[in-house]
Amino acid sequence: MMSGDVAQVVGEIAPYVTAAAGAYGVAVLARTQEEAAAATVALGRRLAQRIFGVRAEGEELPEALADVAEEPHDPDTVAALRRAIRKALLADEELAADVRVLLGQAPGTVRAGDGSPVVVGSVIGGDSIQIGSVGGDAHIGSTGRD
């Protein structure tokens, strides 16, 4: 796998693994019978387990994953996780192929914190609106500009 291909795959993987680490914390690599409520978290967990291995609950996580489990919104911890994923994929072509198969099962939207959807694989043309949260009444309409 070429380095550029790995960078693209890492970019696709990181939001899922980050969501799973944020949801499961230090138990992200533990194999349990409980299913994740959201497809994003379930896929992120499967990706994390495939990349870093399955661990018993309470067993130490790789440092990059443990840091994201503690601080999933810190861009530095997420960057370190991306680097660890990249190194793992570059070192193992079979792993990279397996991860691509798992990514084929990805939902269209990744929830990466605070309930805010992050849309992947989409193109938005024209005017667009992003709302983090709205209190009270809200109205969104066209400004009439063309």
Side-chain angles (χ1 to χ4, degrees), residues 28-122:
V28 70
L29 297 181
R31 197 179 284 237
T32 67
Q33 298 301 317
E34 178 186 333
E35 287 298 318
T40 297
V41 173
L43 177 59
R45 183 173 189 208
R46 286 195 310 274
L47 286 164
Q49 288 175 335
R50 179 63 185 99
I51 294 164
F52 297 107
V54 176
R55 308 284 166 92
E57 196 161 342
E59 192 176 343
E60 189 172 318
L61 298 178
E63 183 178 2
L65 192 57
D67 290 346
V68 168
E70 289 178 24
E71 299 181 72
H73 302 293
D74 180 354
D76 292 334
T77 63
V78 173
L81 176 64
R82 289 174 56 99
R83 185 178 335 242
I85 292 170
R86 182 175 186 269
K87 286 173 109 174
L89 295 180
L90 285 172
D92 187 339
E93 288 185 29
E94 184 179 333
L95 172 64
D98 289 351
V99 164
R100 284 184 187 270
V101 170
L102 284 171
L103 282 174
Q105 304 166 5
T109 300
V110 179
R111 291 195 176 275
D114 296 333
S116 300
V118 176
V119 179
V120 293
S122 296

